[in-house]
Amino acid sequence: MKRNKYNRKPLEKDNFQREEEESGRIEGKNSVLESLKAGHTINKLYMEKNSKDPVLERIYAIARSKGIVVTYLEKSKLDTMSLSRNHQGVIADAAPYDYADVSDILKIAKDKGQPPFILILDGITDPNNLGSVI
């Protein structure tokens, strides 16, 4: 296992990915930029104070055009918030899931001329159970 640069507990990449997915945290210039371009729902953006990085300036411009709240913090605060310890001056607080309204699903089915089919599941953890439902 690889140790992080602060010589704390060993790091496992899978744990970071899992924590990021569950928390909705996106870290790093390219990851945040691509999330903004893809139209992912981002609730808030944390950026390094006094940075002159052109990529961070571009991220800021896109975020502001989409009405995303941007908070500037000291690098040390971003280091504390970071799950990966490699934030590159930007951390996005994104919605972990995009939800759809039942009315949207019904409208899509109507537009396609198909009867609606809705299956709502909660807490399926065993792939065999999901397979049985399908």
Side-chain angles (χ1 to χ4, degrees):
M1 275 188 269
K2 178 178 156 185
R3 289 197 172 270
N4 68 27
K5 69 180 180 180
Y6 301 105
N7 219 6
R8 295 181 186 151
K9 67 181 183 177
L11 305 175
E12 296 178 23
K13 187 174 183 181
D14 291 340
N15 286 342
F16 277 140
Q17 289 173 339
R18 197 174 309 115
E19 285 181 47
E20 284 183 2
E21 288 171 6
E22 290 172 2
S23 70
R25 173 94 21 108
I26 303 169
E27 300 181 15
K29 294 185 281 192
N30 290 330
S31 298
V32 172
L33 184 60
E34 290 304 316
S35 292
L36 286 168
K37 287 180 181 178
H40 293 151
T41 304
I42 295 180
N43 301 322
K44 194 169 188 177
L45 205 58
Y46 302 95
M47 298 184 71
E48 187 176 336
K49 195 183 278 189
N50 301 323
S51 175
K52 300 297 181 199
D53 186 319
V55 177
L56 292 180
E57 289 176 4
R58 185 168 178 215
I59 289 170
Y60 173 79
I62 294 170
R64 294 305 298 160
S65 73
K66 294 178 179 248
I68 298 169
V69 176
V70 178
T71 301
Y72 283 99
L73 301 171
E74 297 293 335
K75 183 181 183 309
S76 60
K77 179 63 178 168
L78 289 173
D79 290 342
T80 303
M81 292 173 59
S82 176
L83 297 173
S84 68
R85 308 289 188 260
N86 191 27
H87 56 77
Q88 300 173 321
V90 63
I91 298 174
D93 182 17
Y97 304 102
D98 285 331
Y99 293 98
D101 289 332
V102 174
S103 60
D104 294 336
I105 296 168
L106 295 173
K107 183 180 181 321
I108 290 169
K110 184 178 179 183
D111 292 346
K112 290 183 175 183
Q114 299 174 347
F117 180 78
I118 301 172
L119 183 62
I120 301 173
L121 306 171
D122 183 32
I124 301 279
T125 57
D126 184 346
N128 291 325
N129 290 341
L130 181 59
S132 297
V133 171
I134 293 171

